[in-house]
Amino acid sequence: MTSRILVLTGMITLASITAHGEVYRHVDAQGNVTFSDEPMEGGEAVQLKPVTTITLPKPEDVRDAPEVIEEAREQGERYTSVSIVSPSDGEAFHSGSGNIQIQVTSTPALQPGHRYEVTLDGQPVGQSTSGSVMIKHIDRGTHEATAHIINRNGIRIRSGNTISFTVHRPSRLN
């Protein structure tokens, strides 16, 4: 009986070791790269990032789209405005690092579970519940920014006017 337990434990241990095997990388004299699950002379172990997993909602938690859309419409009607306070529309300024602080406000104040979202040139760049979003390393030139309010489901329920601003950054050529 004890020997069976030892054999079973050994097999489980061996299986777990092979399931968590390492990956090795080797570059030969011609620059060809080879990956393997076995160590190679002159090769190095590669640290792999964990696999990303997504947990889907339970079927009973999923609601019909018309119901979600109607809820978002009702939530959006609670706000009379959402706008970017700073920078102002048409402003031009110097930023050596390209970092810009966007200040957002709404009337009434942000409701629990809601967040401000800022888009720059049509792409989401940050979310905040405080009304302050730092955007880093913006390229020089003219950009457009818009503030939105999103609900706990990530749906935009209210959007403000789009502003335009210009960022001047130093150049290595100057």
Side-chain angles (χ1 to χ4, degrees):
M1 180 74 168
T2 306
S3 62
R4 287 185 187 179
I5 293 174
L6 288 174
V7 169
L8 183 59
T9 304
M11 290 174 64
I12 291 172
T13 303
L14 183 60
S16 68
I17 290 171
T18 58
H20 297 289
E22 291 188 356
V23 175
Y24 299 92
R25 179 179 182 267
H26 178 264
V27 181
D28 65 15
Q30 290 78 32
N32 298 316
V33 179
T34 305
F35 291 93
S36 175
D37 60 349
E38 297 178 12
M40 297 174 278
E41 185 177 326
E44 60 184 26
V46 177
Q47 296 293 70
L48 299 176
K49 295 180 181 176
V51 175
T52 302
T53 59
I54 299 173
T55 304
L56 296 175
K58 296 177 183 174
E60 59 269 13
D61 293 338
V62 176
R63 300 184 295 164
D64 291 332
E67 181 182 320
V68 172
I69 292 169
E70 178 61 25
E71 179 184 338
R73 187 189 62 74
E74 290 172 2
Q75 290 174 350
E77 288 177 351
R78 295 180 196 161
Y79 296 96
T80 57
S81 71
V82 57
S83 59
I84 295 176
V85 178
S86 174
S88 59
D89 191 24
E91 185 175 350
F93 49 88
H94 293 275
S95 175
S97 63
N99 297 345
I100 306 298
Q101 187 80 26
I102 304 283
Q103 297 292 328
V104 181
T105 189
S106 64
T107 305
L110 205 57
Q111 303 295 309
H114 294 176
R115 297 182 305 269
Y116 293 116
E117 177 182 63
V118 174
T119 57
L120 184 68
D121 300 327
Q123 298 299 315
V125 291
Q127 293 182 359
S128 167
T129 56
S130 70
S132 179
V133 175
M134 174 64 80
I135 307 173
K136 297 186 175 194
H137 310 297
I138 299 176
D139 291 332
R140 67 174 53 92
T142 302
H143 300 278
E144 292 184 338
T146 308
H148 310 275
I149 297 176
I150 59 174
N151 67 11
R152 69 182 76 240
N153 297 322
I155 298 172
R156 289 182 183 166
I157 59 173
R158 186 77 174 186
S159 295
N161 292 337
T162 299
I163 66 154
S164 176
F165 61 89
T166 302
V167 177
H168 298 286
R169 292 184 69 181
S171 169
R172 293 182 191 173
L173 301 175
N174 294 340

